[in-house]
């Protein structure tokens, strides 16, 4: 699960209502465990018998783990030697309402598992499309340490993974960001990218005019020259981020300038894509892991990239990947369990440091 369009998750403090509200998730709904016996600050659940200190649920903008801290957590585990090619695979089980995902991982002193539900009909009911919880465990004993809001965790880690890549792929002076999508992931990527590139312009391309305008106003509040635009805006972009539920290409890949970095995070399905074969054919290609991309990266699979060099995120972060100047750079993210674990562990450590 890449985390595209997570309704109400990860929205910035100045954005949708509910962010930063004690006992509430980013959408304003009560977090799992809020008000329960044994609940810690902001509804964190302390499981009996573990001796764990209370964990504070944190999302960007609430005074907990910020996007830059999540990026460092992703980079740290890769620099410490984690091999994303050997990470456990995601399990996906079809159910009448949609899909259930199980994402386990273990690294260093922690292990954990995210259980997520993808319910495509939920938005029409006024409910989140993606739901879930994350169980963090002590690595050596597998004793439970904490339960985290899975949607909020995903909303924090997805931009962190993208920015870990784009910090190495985007031109150092990149100023113009074009974002496809207007949900929480669009907000999260904007916030995270501002920490690594001197953005001055924002163009929002989205189906919902009201939500697109809201994101534009948010960007203006950050001091950016922001506007709603169309797909042709990629022709003037320094960075393009696609965080939608689209199943067909969003723009003409021939329009993307040679200096531009593009990231697509919206899908983990082999039959869905946000970019076309033209961009894929022109670009240097980067993925979280080649093993996972071969199963889930529809943007690459539908473009027929068999035999092409795919650099993984570990190679990119460690400085072993080729980053050319004369062609676009395209990063495709599908979401992996080790990323959730890295950020969940950082959230847990931050909660312990904040505990009285």
């Amino acid at each position: 699960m890449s985390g595209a369009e997570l309704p109400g998750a990860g929205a910035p403090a100045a954005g949708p209502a509910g962010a930063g509200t004690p006992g509430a998730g980013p959408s304003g709904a009560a977090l799992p465990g809020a008000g329960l016996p044994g609940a810690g600050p902001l509804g964190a659940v302390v499981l009996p018998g573990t001796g764990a200190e209370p964990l504070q649920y944190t999302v960007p903008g609430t005074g907990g783990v910020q996007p830059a801290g999540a990026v460092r957590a992703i980079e740290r585990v890769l620099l410490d030697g984690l091999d994303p090619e050997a990470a456990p695979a995601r399990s996906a089980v079809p159910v009448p309402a949609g899909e259930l995902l199980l994402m386990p991982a273990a690294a260093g002193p922690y292990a954990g598992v995210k259980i997520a539900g993808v319910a495509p009909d939920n938005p029409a009911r006024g409910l989140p499309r993606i739901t879930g919880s994350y169980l963090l465990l002590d690595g050596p004993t597998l004793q439970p340490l904490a339960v985290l809001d899975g949607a909020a965790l995903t909303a924090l880690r997805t931009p962190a993974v993208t920015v870990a890549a784009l910090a190495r792929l985007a031109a150092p002076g990149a100023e113009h960001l074009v974002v496809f999508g207007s949900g929480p992931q669009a907000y999260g990527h904007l916030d995270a990218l501002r920490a690594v590139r001197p953005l001055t312009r924002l163009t929002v391309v989205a189906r919902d005019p009201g939500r697109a305008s809201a994101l534009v106003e948010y960007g203006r509040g950050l001091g950016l020259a922001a506007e709603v635009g169309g797909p042709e805006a990629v022709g003037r972009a320094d960075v393009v981020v696609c965080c939608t539920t689209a199943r067909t290409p969003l723009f003409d890949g021939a329009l993307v300038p040679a200096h531009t970095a593009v990231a697509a995070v919206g899908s983990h399905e082999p039959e869905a894509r946000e970019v076309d074969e033209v961009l894929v054919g022109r670009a240097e290609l980067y993925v979280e892991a080649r093993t996972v991309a071969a199963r889930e990266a529809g943007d690459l699979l539908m473009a027929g990239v068999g035999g092409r060099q795919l650099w993984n995120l570990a190679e990119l972060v460690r400085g072993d990947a080729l980053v050319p100047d004369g062609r676009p750079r395209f990063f495709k993210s599908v979401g992996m369990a080790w990323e959730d674990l890295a950020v969940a562990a950082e959230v847990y450590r931050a909660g312990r440091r904040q505990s009285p």
Side-chain angles (χ1 to χ4, degrees):
M1 179 177 61
S2 64
E5 301 291 325
L6 291 176
T21 302
S27 63
L31 290 169
L36 294 177
L42 293 185
V45 177
V46 181
L47 299 177
T50 66
E53 297 180 18
L55 170 65
Q56 185 178 22
Y57 276 95
T58 55
V59 294
T62 63
V65 175
Q66 299 295 312
V71 173
R72 288 193 296 271
I74 294 293
E75 294 172 335
R76 187 184 308 120
V77 297
L78 294 173
L79 292 172
D80 286 346
L82 183 138
D83 179 7
E85 303 295 344
R90 178 199 344 258
S91 297
V93 179
V95 294
E99 187 178 34
L100 291 179
L101 305 176
L102 187 68
M103 301 177 67
Y110 299 103
V113 60
K114 183 167 71 176
I115 302 174
V118 182
D121 294 337
N122 270 10
R125 303 184 178 105
L127 298 171
R129 176 175 175 268
I130 296 176
T131 65
S133 295
Y134 193 90
L135 177 62
L136 183 68
L137 309 170
D138 175 67
T141 67
L142 299 184
Q143 290 295 300
L145 295 176
V147 177
L148 286 74
D149 181 339
L153 176 66
T154 305
L156 180 59
R157 70 88 158 134
T158 303
V161 172
T162 303
V163 170
L166 291 183
R168 293 156 174 87
L169 300 179
E175 297 182 350
H176 185 194
L177 169 64
V178 175
V179 173
F180 286 82
S182 57
Q185 283 295 336
Y187 285 87
H189 278 80
L190 171 58
D191 286 340
L193 280 165
R194 288 180 66 243
V196 299
R197 287 297 182 269
L199 300 180
T200 61
R201 297 178 57 198
L202 168 68
T203 301
V204 179
V205 186
R207 293 178 300 178
D208 188 309
R211 285 168 45 142
S213 295
L215 180 53
V216 164
E217 289 304 312
Y218 179 74
R220 289 172 179 167
L222 298 174
L224 303 178
E227 63 181 357
V228 175
E232 68 281 356
V234 300
R236 305 182 301 276
D238 298 316
V239 181
V240 178
V241 175
C242 306
C243 38
T244 76
T245 56
R247 303 189 67 82
T248 56
L250 297 165
F251 56 87
D252 180 355
L255 299 177
V256 176
H259 74 277
T260 300
V262 181
V265 307
S267 171
H268 64 269
E269 299 179 51
E271 298 85 15
R273 57 178 173 169
E274 295 175 288
V275 306
D276 63 14
E277 64 276 8
V278 175
L279 175 66
V280 172
R282 296 178 56 210
E284 195 73 23
L285 305 177
Y286 308 85
V287 295
E288 293 145 304
R290 287 176 286 272
T291 51
V292 174
R295 296 192 301 267
E296 300 181 356
D299 300 75
L300 303 179
L301 295 172
M302 297 177 76
V305 297
R308 290 279 305 274
Q309 171 69 59
L310 303 179
W311 302 99
N312 72 31
L313 189 58
E315 293 161 344
L316 184 59
V317 168
R318 296 169 191 164
D320 298 327
L322 174 68
V323 182
D325 293 327
R327 61 193 302 193
R329 281 83 60 205
F330 175 53
F331 175 65
K332 171 56 185 173
S333 171
V334 297
M336 294 183 67
W338 67 265
E339 302 159 353
D340 291 309
L341 177 62
V343 178
E346 181 62 23
V347 171
Y348 178 67
R349 288 189 292 264
R352 288 174 61 88
R353 289 193 295 267
Q354 295 169 11
S355 296

